[in-house]
Amino acid sequence: MTVTRFAPSPTGYLHIGGLRTALFSWLTAQHNKGEFLLRIEDTDMARNSEEAKDAILKAFEWVGMSHDGEVVYQSKRFDLYKKYIDQLLEEGKAYKCYMSKEELAALREEQMAKKERTRYDGRYRDFDGTPPEGIDPVIRIKAPQEGRISFKDGVKGEFSVEATEVDDFVIARADGAPTYNFVVAIDDALMGLTDVIRGDDHLYNTPKQIVIYNALGFALPNFYHVAMINNEQGKKLSKRDGATDVMDYKTMGYLPEALLNFLVRLGWSHGDQEIFSLEEMINLFDPNDINKSSSNYNLDKLLWLNAHYIKEASDEKLITLLKDFGVDLEGNEKASIILTATKERGKTLVDLAEQVKLLTVAPESYDEKSAKKAFKGEAKEILSTFADMLALAQPITKEAYHAVMEKIVEEKEIGFGKIGMPLRVSLMGSMTGAGMDEVMAILGTDETIKRIEKAIATI
RNA sequence: GGCCCCAUCGUCUAACGGUUAGGAUCCAUGGUUUUCAUCCAUGUUAUAGGAGUUCGAGUCUCCUUGGGGUCACCA
């Protein structure tokens, strides 16, 4: 059975790039009817935070990517890691290193001065003398000293490094706490991972983890190292490039399906297809099809996708979503007609909420340019006559309102714009928006007349 | 700096070594719409540069350039 995972460290919010690799992992699991596990990498007690962990979990909930089984916390597995450290020590595959941090720093500086690669020199690898006083040793793994460490990567292809590139790295700190590369290898193996899909910033951790897999006799999973997402200039994505926190997208009025559709197309494609439902993604996704090159983040496409998913969304769904944006249409008998009049005009839920408010809340003021253009000449008189005609006709449907408009155009022998423009500004405050007949049907006769009279008073 | 990875329209991407280098987005223009938006149609824009292999290179090789990653008792 296919088992994949996402393994964030709880030091901040869920990053948009992290969500993409998580999505790739999740899709791989779903496609193969396998499992997608979640593991919190909280071995660094100093940097962890409970809030960060909750924020990550919340983001997953929002996008609807559920994980299988219980969330695994590395901080609760220290006994387990300790057992493996002791085992390696016993088998002579790991050893205690008494080098102080100062000595290590000095060594590093020396190597840098000689423009060499900085690496531990293995001085305690075969040490059997008397250890120096007052130093709590770290535990280092005996990494191979010659040959190459190689593996097949599903994205990058065959990948290998010189064994000399991997030094005897620390697997347990002086205080006994295990380190990242050590616990990742153990957990990935013990949790039964078949496919490890992660950012390619982990590419160089893989040889280290392979050293651990080999020392402990674990079978290797398949590795997929996905290239990073950069900003539009091809530079590393930072906060200055806009939102990097997944939950910011919720605040900005994006639908999770739009965000996921956007992300799945970064580094992956299926012919000319742009729109993917979750089901289609699951059916079509294969991590072996992930592109090697990094991709750049660009908001245009996300906005386009979001507009698409808003147009597709059902009224019930939009009613629920809009509640977070200050608009409550629950129980409003005109909800449906309001949404059909507005949903094509909003690229985000924020936009959509504004459009809805234009209809449900009378304009406070009139856009200066629009008013100047619309409230001139005989506009005042036309509006007044129109209000009278409405009061008399008491139309209800959109068609009935349209008939009244046609009537005034005919009787006064004017163009449609002569009534349309001033009416629009009176009702909406500016010259844009939904069809007038639609708007009036939503407002109702009383409210329409009220807004017209208010406008007339300002002319 | 050492080691490694990457390179097609502005952006996301497609193209058994053989296509007029395709689609989407963006932008522009036109149509529909009394307006805006939607929708539809049309158009502009790309194989980073240089060698080589080949009858034939976006695709294979090498160099250059550019970008990225990584070199912790962080994860």
Side-chain angles (χ1 to χ4, degrees):
Chain A
M1 183 180 67
T2 299
V3 182
T4 67
R5 50 79 161 172
F6 184 61
S9 57
T11 52
Y13 54 77
L14 180 58
H15 190 272
I16 191 87
L19 181 61
R20 186 188 56 158
T21 49
L23 175 63
F24 285 175
S25 290
W26 185 80
L27 289 173
T28 302
Q30 304 305 315
H31 179 87
N32 295 295
K33 303 209 169 21
E35 287 186 346
F36 172 69
L37 309 178
L38 200 55
R39 184 175 72 226
I40 303 293
E41 315 231 302
D42 53 355
T43 52
D44 184 357
M45 298 307 203
R47 294 206 305 162
N48 295 331
S49 89
E50 189 78 5
E51 296 78 58
K53 183 211 75 187
D54 290 342
I56 291 168
L57 259 28
K58 229 169 105 186
F60 269 90
E61 200 186 315
W62 177 59
V63 298
M65 278 164 46
S66 56
H67 57 89
D68 296 290
E70 293 288 306
V71 177
V72 174
Y73 293 91
Q74 292 187 322
S75 58
K76 293 180 184 159
R77 293 159 69 87
F78 275 28
D79 289 348
L80 178 75
Y81 307 135
K82 179 80 170 60
K83 209 186 81 194
Y84 284 105
I85 288 168
D86 291 344
Q87 181 189 323
L88 290 176
L89 236 28
E90 217 163 285
E91 292 173 352
K93 292 175 177 170
Y95 60 94
K96 292 177 179 172
C97 169
Y98 293 91
M99 200 171 180
S100 71
K101 284 189 182 181
E102 291 72 31
E103 283 179 291
L104 196 63
L107 174 67
R108 203 166 283 146
E109 227 163 275
E110 193 183 312
Q111 289 168 333
M112 290 223 294
K114 281 195 258 173
K115 297 205 168 172
E116 282 174 7
R117 184 196 145 76
T118 58
R119 63 196 307 281
Y120 173 66
D121 61 5
R123 65 180 68 175
Y124 284 96
R125 187 175 168 113
D126 299 308
F127 181 75
D128 59 359
T130 317
E133 293 274 323
I135 289 190
D136 291 327
V138 298
I139 314 291
R140 289 181 181 273
I141 185 85
K142 281 186 182 169
Q145 294 178 299
E146 51 190 33
R148 297 187 75 86
I149 300 173
S150 56
F151 63 97
K152 189 181 175 303
D153 189 285
V155 177
K156 307 277 182 193
E158 284 298 330
F159 185 83
S160 71
V161 295
E162 286 290 340
T164 51
E165 291 285 311
V166 178
D167 63 4
D168 288 354
F169 60 96
V170 173
I171 59 173
R173 303 178 176 89
D175 65 3
T179 59
Y180 174 76
N181 283 117
F182 183 64
V183 297
V184 167
I186 291 176
D187 284 337
D188 282 344
L190 260 38
M191 288 164 74
L193 269 288
T194 57
D195 300 84
V196 171
I197 301 169
R198 72 215 323 185
D200 72 357
D201 48 337
H202 286 289
L203 195 58
Y204 274 82
N205 287 325
T206 310
K208 290 184 177 182
Q209 290 168 19
I210 287 174
V211 169
I212 305 294
Y213 275 95
N214 292 155
L216 259 18
F218 294 141
L220 292 184
N222 300 315
F223 290 105
Y224 301 85
H225 287 96
V226 185
M228 305 274 98
I229 300 175
N230 295 322
N231 69 15
E232 189 147 13
Q233 286 73 42
K235 302 280 183 187
K236 194 174 172 170
L237 195 60
S238 76
K239 282 184 187 169
R240 270 185 302 181
D241 300 307
T244 48
D245 179 353
V246 169
M247 291 311 276
D248 284 348
Y249 289 86
K250 180 173 193 271
T251 316
M252 294 187 295
Y254 288 95
L255 267 45
E257 45 269 57
L259 185 59
L260 294 183
N261 197 148
F262 170 70
L263 289 176
V264 82
R265 286 284 288 99
L266 253 36
W268 178 82
S269 63
H270 183 259
D272 287 342
Q273 189 169 345
E274 296 288 348
I275 307 285
F276 293 88
S277 68
L278 227 42
E279 260 182 352
E280 288 174 308
M281 286 183 207
I282 290 168
N283 286 334
L284 299 170
F285 189 79
D286 183 335
N288 293 294
D289 296 336
I290 297 171
N291 291 153
K292 286 180 166 189
S293 52
S294 59
S295 34
N296 293 358
Y297 171 92
N298 174 267
L299 209 61
D300 286 336
K301 204 123 184 190
L302 175 57
L303 224 38
W304 172 72
L305 283 164
N306 204 51
H308 169 83
Y309 282 103
I310 286 178
K311 273 178 280 181
E312 297 276 292
S314 69
D315 291 346
E316 299 74 53
K317 181 171 176 159
L318 289 175
I319 289 169
T320 308
L321 290 171
L322 281 171
K323 284 179 185 169
D324 283 339
F325 297 88
V327 168
D328 191 356
L329 295 175
E330 188 79 65
N332 188 326
E333 55 184 10
K334 287 178 175 158
S336 174
I337 180 167
I338 290 175
L339 288 173
T340 46
T342 52
K343 69 164 91 164
E344 282 170 359
R345 265 166 267 268
K347 284 192 191 299
T348 66
L349 292 171
V350 174
D351 292 348
L352 183 59
E354 267 173 37
Q355 292 292 328
V356 172
K357 281 182 198 160
L358 280 179
L359 297 175
T360 52
V361 182
E364 289 285 315
S365 61
Y366 306 99
D367 175 67
E368 206 176 312
K369 254 174 93 180
S370 305
K372 202 173 166 193
K373 195 171 172 196
F375 292 159
K376 68 179 181 191
E378 50 203 338
K380 190 170 179 174
E381 189 221 321
I382 293 173
L383 281 174
S384 173
T385 310
F386 187 67
D388 292 344
M389 289 170 79
L390 282 179
L392 198 68
Q394 291 291 326
I396 292 175
T397 62
K398 173 176 142 179
E399 289 71 21
Y401 279 103
H402 194 81
V404 180
M405 286 184 79
E406 279 183 340
K407 200 172 166 203
I408 192 169
V409 165
E410 202 178 307
E411 284 183 6
K412 292 226 160 218
E413 293 181 347
I414 51 174
F416 231 104
K418 285 280 185 206
I419 175 65
M421 276 200 295
L423 182 59
R424 175 172 298 287
V425 178
S426 304
L427 300 181
M428 319 268 294
S430 80
M431 213 103 86
T432 63
M436 284 317 0
D437 44 10
E438 220 170 5
V439 172
M440 290 186 287
I442 290 164
L443 297 178
T445 312
D446 290 350
E447 175 66 15
T448 303
I449 292 173
K450 223 170 100 189
R451 289 193 189 186
I452 290 172
E453 280 170 353
K454 193 179 163 194
I456 287 173
T458 70
I459 299 175

